[in-house]
Amino acid sequence: MHPWNDPGHTVAERVDALLAELTLEEKIGQLGSYWSRTGSHGGGSGTDPVASQVASEEPAEPTGDRPGAGDEVAPMQAVFDAARKGLDKTAEHGLGQLTRVFGTAPVTAADGVRRLADLQQQVTARSRLGIPAIAHEECLTGFTTLGATVYPAAIAWGATFDPELIEQMAAAIGSDLAAVGVHQGLSPLLDVVRDYRWGRVEETIGEDPYLVGTLGTAYVKGLQSAGVIATLKHFCGYSASRAGRNHAPVPMGRREFGDVLLPSFEMAVRLGGVRSVMNSYSDVDGVPVAADHDLLTRTLRDHWGFSGTVVSDYWSIPFLQTMHRVAADSTEAGGLALAAGLDVELPETSAYADLAKAIGSGLITEQTVDTAVRRVLTHKIELGLLDPDWQPVADGDGIDLDSDHNRGLARRVAEESITLLANDGVLPVRPDHGSTIAVIGPVADDVRTFFGCYSFPNHVLSRAGSTDIGLPADDLVGAMTAEFVDAQVRHAQGVPILEADSTGIDEATRLVGDSDLVVLAVGDRAGMFGTGTSGEGCDSVDLSLPGLQGRLAEAVLDAAEAAGSAVILVVVSGRPYALGGLAERCAAVVQAFMPGVEGGSAIAGVLSGRINPSGRLPIGIPDHPGGQPGSYLAPPLGWYSDGVSNLDPRPLYPFGHGLSYTSFDLVDLELSTEQINTDGAVEVSATVINSGDRAGAEVVQLYAGDPVARVARPLKQLIGFAKVALQPGEAARVRFTVDADRFSYLGPGPVGPDYRRIVDPGVIELSIGRSSEDRPLQAELMITGAVREVGDGRVLDTPVAVTTVR
């Protein structure tokens, strides 16, 4: 037995032995990848999609208005199709990764298992030492493959404010991936939202770094508990692209970058132990992340202690030549990326095929290659791929990717994410026998509106021309019909989601006049690269409802006011839309952030009162379509100031907001001490009481503000939270342990800015409340002592303990 195959040796010993045996060509092979695909999404009716996929290693002719436009599942995919190499060439000396065998064509679990096993056998046969490849898949809304449970979008995870639930969901996703032989999942997204117009808002967890970091870390722990490598993306800056445009430059200073965008990633690295990171497509202040040694090596590895692999976002390495123009050719692009600390090229070997040339020209050394290969081999040995008894999963028959367990978790996440924004008492709905409920709007009868852009039905099936979603699910009309059995539920679309067709508005308004209650359902349908109103490459010019939905809403509200009917506005979306002028005219407003396959039942259950809503906004809901900063994390100049500007940036509904069918009181704020040193800690506690008449859950939110700092700081920032479930009359004491590190920021030096993280003396304003704008409990904490520089290993979280008191 070779020493690298012997589990009796340590992982490091096995890696050293194998690395010493590999030739340069074999080392380079471990840094590449292969994507088996054709120009179509696989077989349609009457064909075997796996056989169709296997049949050709050559790309089909592109289709659509631009080359490959209707067929892409990655940016500019068609541009790279022409230069693709077959598996024989790509894996000639071994292979690092296999790309999305399940996720880009409609294959069953059993067929995908067989296809992956066949590819692994081909890879090991071509490898002189029989080294298998790591197989990766997308898994942001669940395993992105045919028939797998579609969980709520990541922005809905944020609305739950429930890290334990998100960890359980991720563990289930990881178990499904592992069951079919997948080793790495390309999730979670830890980008912090800076502009609501960005199409990928739906893939984020929200606009606050602590919320994003806490729930993202929980996802990492859950996925990796199943033995599957989690992958943070997109490191870093992607969400702050200019004007919210996908792949646009990021004109951001180091201080905002370090205080707002980096902390969520640092949490997942240091607290979650994540094993892989994917680079951002962005160039930040002119420096492309794929070539940024300071970020990929100094920050990520030297300061945070990350020891896993950095994988490229798809084709981001050749983009150094074609899009960023910092490399003259693919050889230079590959050399720049590898030297920066980018280990594996995805989705297929392109620039890294020329790494030997990069060594020959002096751009990199073989030692640089060795460093990256060592990380790849460490993963493979940790995954058991080089153990003597390893075999690929050979039998996928009987694997259930949409189990009852999955459905239960999807239901819980959906139910906890639905957010009640306003209610004049019309909710919960208790219709009389025989009453009529009008469900109006384009999202009401389209179950795809419940799914994110990386769900398989929207990611692959819809663009393949299929109307099937591959698994059972009720749209909102069906769910309302099932929920309100004593009422008559009728539907009119009114307008399409995006197309400019107003011919159905008259039918919708007539239905309003004939109904006792109106549910107006508007929002998004996710797609990619312009095929949807939300999703990757589906950016928005402003925050008006898509298409003619705003016009439909005005017409429905006019008709309802004339008829004396109440309107409940239900927004099913991946980003927040401006609701000023509409919300005030509605009896209730409900926000559902792409709630997944169980979303219809969850929304209907909130409307009926079967579910007491406990969702809270992970992102603000704007008042008007433009002129707003897109985040509550604003310094004084970014917030409203009378007489400074005619534009009021304050949201209609703020970050953290959400109502319930019961009431909660927050009382008895107490600090364990009113003064700490710059290296001290304080316990902040308060009591939450369910003062209503039914069980419910409140999210107790702890904020901090720094009224006099050395640089302009946010007026308030979330530093801790706890979701507390209480029975009527029950109370709980919530205790936050806050280290002084939690008040740190990148400050200036004595002469000029040096971007060192500091805690400085002075007053900190602490507050506990129900949202960023509803903070009834206030206290001041004095920090004393000299300015302290906070080094590596700072405290990133705020531990919380909840104790029932009566």
Side-chain angles (χ1 to χ4, degrees):
M1 181 187 298
H2 297 298
W4 52 84
N5 298 124
D6 186 356
H9 292 294
T10 67
V11 171
E13 289 169 343
R14 296 171 69 182
V15 170
D16 287 343
L18 182 52
L19 186 61
E21 182 67 22
L22 296 176
T23 66
L24 176 60
E25 291 79 8
E26 289 169 336
K27 293 173 183 177
I28 292 172
Q30 292 301 310
L31 305 182
S33 57
Y34 176 73
W35 191 1
S36 176
R37 70 187 192 279
T38 65
S40 70
H41 286 293
S45 176
T47 67
D48 179 352
V50 176
S52 177
Q53 187 182 39
V54 173
S56 174
E57 294 294 352
E58 298 300 323
E61 288 296 319
T63 59
D65 296 334
R66 59 184 174 81
D71 207 45
E72 295 181 3
V73 293
M76 300 181 68
Q77 176 180 322
V79 174
F80 293 94
D81 278 346
R84 290 184 63 227
K85 302 178 179 68
L87 182 61
D88 284 350
K89 182 67 174 176
T90 303
E92 183 179 6
H93 301 289
L95 187 70
Q97 294 221 5
L98 285 166
T99 294
R100 302 192 63 190
V101 175
F102 292 84
T104 48
V107 300
T108 65
D111 285 340
V113 164
R114 285 192 288 270
R115 177 59 175 148
L116 179 55
D118 176 65
L119 287 169
Q120 287 283 27
Q121 289 166 1
Q122 294 185 57
V123 168
T124 55
R126 287 168 174 79
S127 168
R128 177 174 62 91
L129 301 176
I131 304 173
I134 291 173
H136 75 257
E137 291 288 346
E138 297 283 358
C139 58
L140 189 62
T141 63
F143 184 5
T144 304
T145 192
L146 180 67
T149 304
V150 179
Y151 295 89
I155 193 70
W157 313 349
T160 71
F161 276 75
D162 190 340
E164 291 79 12
L165 178 58
I166 301 309
E167 184 172 345
Q168 293 173 38
M169 178 197 73
I173 295 170
S175 294
D176 286 343
L177 292 169
V180 298
V182 173
H183 311 108
Q184 183 164 351
L186 302 188
S187 294
L189 214 94
L190 293 192
D191 299 297
V192 176
V193 175
R194 301 303 281 165
D195 192 322
Y196 300 160
R197 296 171 297 176
W198 189 48
R200 304 191 80 166
V201 166
E202 64 166 71
E203 299 179 58
T204 75
I205 301 172
E207 67 181 44
D208 178 83
Y210 187 63
L211 178 66
V212 172
T214 301
L215 271 69
T217 298
Y219 184 101
V220 167
K221 290 179 178 178
L223 196 75
Q224 294 191 163
S225 72
V228 173
I229 295 170
T231 309
L232 305 184
K233 54 190 205 184
H234 306 88
F235 187 67
C236 184
Y238 194 21
S239 58
S241 58
R242 182 177 281 131
R245 181 175 172 270
N246 199 36
H247 289 212
V250 176
M252 179 177 282
R254 286 175 58 188
R255 186 166 286 110
E256 182 182 358
F257 193 83
D259 282 340
V260 178
L261 297 190
L262 287 181
S264 56
F265 289 94
E266 186 177 0
M267 289 178 70
V269 168
R270 291 185 44 227
L271 304 182
V274 74
R275 300 299 294 137
S276 191
V277 172
M278 176 180 280
N279 77 288
S280 162
Y281 285 122
S282 308
D283 51 61
V284 182
D285 194 24
V287 180
V289 173
D292 190 346
H293 182 273
D294 183 72
L295 186 62
L296 298 183
T297 297
R298 190 184 69 85
T299 296
L300 182 61
R301 298 188 185 279
D302 297 344
H303 289 294
W304 296 356
F306 177 70
S307 61
T309 56
V310 176
V311 301
S312 78
D313 207 342
Y314 286 14
W315 294 299
S316 62
I317 299 175
F319 282 175
L320 292 173
Q321 175 192 357
T322 60
M323 302 298 289
H324 302 289
R325 299 189 179 184
V326 298
D329 52 30
S330 63
T331 300
E332 186 175 2
L336 286 172
L338 194 71
L342 211 163
D343 302 310
V344 179
E345 182 174 22
L346 300 181
E348 52 199 12
T349 308
S350 178
Y352 276 14
D354 295 328
L355 286 180
K357 294 180 184 178
I359 293 172
S361 62
L363 290 171
I364 56 173
T365 66
E366 187 168 352
Q367 183 179 2
T368 309
V369 173
D370 288 353
T371 298
V373 175
R374 184 180 300 278
R375 296 167 186 153
V376 172
L377 297 180
T378 297
H379 275 344
K380 291 189 174 185
I381 290 172
E382 289 174 339
L383 289 164
L385 299 184
L386 292 174
D387 289 353
D389 59 350
W390 180 84
Q391 292 292 330
V393 176
D395 185 3
D397 293 335
I399 292 176
D400 186 0
L401 299 178
D402 190 32
S403 65
D404 291 343
H405 176 67
N406 287 4
R407 283 294 182 124
L409 286 168
R411 186 177 308 114
R412 287 178 57 200
V413 177
E415 291 174 354
E416 288 199 31
S417 70
I418 307 298
T419 307
L420 178 61
L421 301 181
N423 183 21
D424 71 358
V426 69
L427 293 179
V429 173
R430 297 182 178 89
D432 296 329
H433 183 77
S435 61
T436 301
I437 300 175
V439 183
I440 295 173
V443 308
D445 66 342
D446 185 353
V447 73
R448 292 181 193 272
T449 61
F450 296 160
F451 305 153
C453 75
Y454 270 86
S455 67
F456 196 79
N458 287 340
H459 194 62
V460 174
L461 291 178
S462 62
R463 293 192 330 284
S466 173
T467 58
D468 188 16
I469 63 170
L471 70 173
D474 284 335
D475 58 26
L476 184 57
V477 173
M480 292 282 289
T481 301
E483 189 79 25
F484 297 100
V485 294
D486 292 331
Q488 182 182 3
V489 176
R490 296 189 291 175
H491 171 250
Q493 183 188 71
V495 298
I497 287 177
L498 186 59
E499 294 77 13
D501 180 1
S502 63
T503 57
I505 291 180
D506 287 345
E507 178 191 0
T509 56
R510 285 194 298 270
L511 184 57
V512 170
D514 295 334
S515 302
D516 301 300
L517 180 71
V518 177
V519 174
L520 175 59
V522 296
D524 284 319
R525 182 172 58 229
M528 298 186 76
F529 310 117
T531 61
T533 60
S534 174
E536 184 174 359
C538 298
D539 311 313
S540 181
V541 67
D542 63 26
L543 298 172
S544 303
L545 287 169
L548 300 180
Q549 292 183 75
R551 180 173 166 186
L552 171 67
E554 295 281 0
V556 167
L557 287 165
D558 289 345
E561 288 167 0
S565 301
V567 176
I568 299 167
L569 178 63
V570 176
V571 183
V572 181
S573 65
R575 67 162 61 84
Y577 285 105
L579 300 182
L582 298 178
E584 300 89 336
R585 300 174 64 188
C586 297
V589 181
V590 174
Q591 174 70 54
F593 289 112
M594 292 183 174
V597 73
E598 293 290 329
S601 173
I603 296 170
V606 166
L607 299 184
S608 73
R610 174 174 54 83
I611 299 163
N612 191 355
S614 65
R616 300 294 184 265
L617 288 176
I619 193 166
I621 303 293
D623 188 2
H624 48 90
Q628 295 181 282
S631 172
Y632 87 100
L633 291 174
L637 289 183
W639 206 239
Y640 179 70
S641 181
D642 188 27
V644 171
S645 171
N646 62 309
L647 296 178
D648 186 349
R650 291 174 296 185
L652 182 63
Y653 301 110
F655 173 86
H657 172 72
L659 304 178
S660 172
Y661 294 147
T662 190
S663 57
F664 295 96
D665 297 329
L666 292 170
V667 298
D668 299 335
L669 176 65
E670 181 180 2
L671 306 186
S672 60
T673 178
E674 295 181 353
Q675 179 176 302
I676 64 171
N677 205 299
T678 53
D679 61 355
V682 62
E683 186 178 89
V684 184
S685 58
T687 297
V688 56
I689 306 167
N690 184 343
S691 55
D693 59 4
R694 66 174 290 179
E698 178 64 291
V699 178
V700 180
Q701 303 166 41
L702 174 64
Y703 291 85
D706 193 346
V708 181
R710 294 168 182 255
V711 298
R713 300 282 295 135
L715 289 165
K716 65 274 179 180
Q717 183 165 357
L718 184 74
I719 61 169
F721 64 89
K723 191 166 194 174
V724 183
L726 296 170
Q727 294 296 317
E730 191 176 25
R733 192 71 176 165
V734 182
R735 293 179 172 83
F736 299 96
T737 301
V738 186
D739 192 279
D741 286 4
R742 303 290 287 119
F743 309 128
S744 67
Y745 61 92
L746 296 182
V751 178
D754 64 359
Y755 302 103
R756 296 186 182 182
R757 181 166 294 281
I758 61 170
V759 176
D760 56 0
V763 172
I764 294 292
E765 296 173 340
L766 295 170
S767 55
I768 287 180
R770 304 174 185 88
S771 78
S772 58
E773 295 303 299
D774 180 9
R775 297 171 284 124
L777 304 184
Q778 306 271 341
E780 289 188 350
L781 175 70
M782 176 62 69
I783 300 181
T784 62
V787 175
R788 177 172 68 90
E789 182 176 333
V790 181
D792 296 341
R794 68 184 171 114
V795 175
L796 294 166
D797 61 342
T798 302
V800 59
V802 179
T803 306
T804 302
V805 294
R806 72 170 187 267

